[in-house]
Amino acid sequence: MTETSPTKSSGTDFIPTTPPPAATVTPAPAPAPAIGKADLPAASAVNHADQLARIEDKAARIEDKYARSEALLSRVEDKVENASSRMNEAARQADLASLRGEVRGMADRINRLPGTGALVLTALITAVLTVALMVAVQRANLDKLLPPSLGGQPQTTSNP
């Protein structure tokens, strides 16, 4: 469960893992007793080397926790990026599906339109029927019903 951070953490390189030799560590001088105060008990005298070791241990634990939380955050970030890419892909797929439906509907409408042969046949039938009807109107002597612009006879009105 403990994973290290993808980037190398500072670790404990700057903190020595073993206490320095006793020759280099000089214990701090004991505080001078204040006037009117009783001498401090011997139990309160703390070994500074032990204190430093405990601080180093705590710092190491904090760094480990930081590295674990960094790794956890990077995994969460990767999961969020993967989820967003999947959602984007799903949205694109939905857009493509709706576009396919639109194109399919348009193709169906275009396929239902009459073709060139049907349009030419309709034009020929219309021309033949127009000529036949005009001939029938002229033979039935119904020229008076046609407007003058189409060759109908003008109607004369007599004024007395």
Side-chain angles (χ1 to χ4, degrees), residues 80-95:
V80 166
E81 285 177 5
N82 289 339
S84 68
S85 67
R86 285 195 306 259
M87 292 303 290
N88 287 337
E89 185 65 28
R92 273 190 233 114
Q93 292 298 327
D95 289 345

Side-chain angles (χ1 to χ4, degrees), residues 63-77:
E63 286 177 356
D64 288 343
K65 286 181 181 179
Y66 178 74
R68 283 193 300 258
S69 64
E70 237 181 18
L72 180 65
L73 284 176
S74 68
R75 285 195 311 250
V76 167
E77 183 180 348

Side-chain angles (χ1 to χ4, degrees), residues 16 18-29 46-53 56:
T18 59
T24 59
V25 174
T26 58
V46 179
N47 187 355
H48 293 292
D50 289 340
Q51 257 188 343
L52 183 61
E56 287 173 352

Side-chain angles (χ1 to χ4, degrees), residues 67-129:
R68 283 193 300 258
S69 64
E70 237 181 18
L72 180 65
L73 284 176
S74 68
R75 285 195 311 250
V76 167
E77 183 180 348
D78 290 341
K79 286 182 180 182
V80 166
E81 285 177 5
N82 289 339
S84 68
S85 67
R86 285 195 306 259
M87 292 303 290
N88 287 337
E89 185 65 28
R92 273 190 233 114
Q93 292 298 327
D95 289 345
L96 288 176
S98 66
L99 184 62
R100 281 188 198 115
E102 290 291 327
V103 168
R104 190 175 303 120
M106 206 158 204
D108 290 344
R109 287 177 63 193
I110 289 172
N111 288 338
R112 283 184 269 147
L113 291 175
T116 307
L119 291 175
V120 169
L121 181 64
T122 303
L124 287 175
I125 290 172
T126 303
V128 169
L129 284 177

